[in-house]
Amino acid sequence: VWYPGGVRCLNDGLVPSWQVNRYSSRETCCRSHFSWSYDNCMEIKPRSTRKWFVDWHKGKCVMECDRGEGGSCGGAVPGSWITTHDSAGNCCRAHMSYLSVDSCRYDSSS
């Protein structure tokens, strides 16, 4: 049984007794209660573009890909307002031209 939880639908066997919204499928639950955040509710991860963007916390250009991949991967672009680039060089020249590309490009192994 699927039911709406905090930010997504759950199927954990712990349906509160007061919860009257119960569904046989996650999809129906998500469409009914989280249509504004359907992908999040369904736990659909956006496909990585492998484009480059600035991670200002790191002070480096990172590639949009799963951090677990290592290398220059910096996770998902945090918002649609973030400018992305086709290469580390383009990202570095656009946002941190005072650094060399090698100094600007993030590498988790260094």
Side-chain angles (χ1 to χ4, degrees):
V1 174
W2 291 92
Y3 66 97
V7 294
R8 65 178 53 100
C9 291
L10 305 172
N11 182 12
D12 56 10
L14 303 173
V15 184
S17 59
W18 53 264
Q19 181 59 265
V20 296
N21 298 302
R22 298 170 190 223
Y23 302 90
S24 59
S25 76
R26 179 187 225 171
E27 181 179 2
T28 304
C29 180
C30 289
R31 288 199 190 283
S32 298
H33 296 279
F34 300 102
S35 60
W36 48 271
S37 185
Y38 180 79
D39 286 353
N40 183 54
C41 179
M42 292 293 291
E43 296 184 283
I44 297 170
K45 292 185 178 183
R47 191 168 155 226
S48 172
T49 64
R50 302 196 76 78
K51 294 213 174 212
W52 293 81
F53 66 98
V54 177
D55 180 328
W56 291 108
H57 294 288
K58 286 180 173 52
K60 304 270 185 177
C61 282
V62 299
M63 185 187 292
E64 182 189 23
C65 46
D66 189 293
R67 287 184 183 99
E69 292 180 44
S72 296
C73 292
V77 175
S80 59
W81 62 91
I82 302 295
T83 302
T84 59
H85 304 274
D86 291 330
S87 69
N90 287 346
C91 178
C92 292
R93 282 188 289 279
H95 303 284
M96 291 184 242
S97 59
Y98 52 90
L99 294 174
S100 69
V101 173
D102 286 341
S103 296
C104 163
R105 181 182 51 237
Y106 176 68
D107 184 350
S108 64
S109 64
S110 55

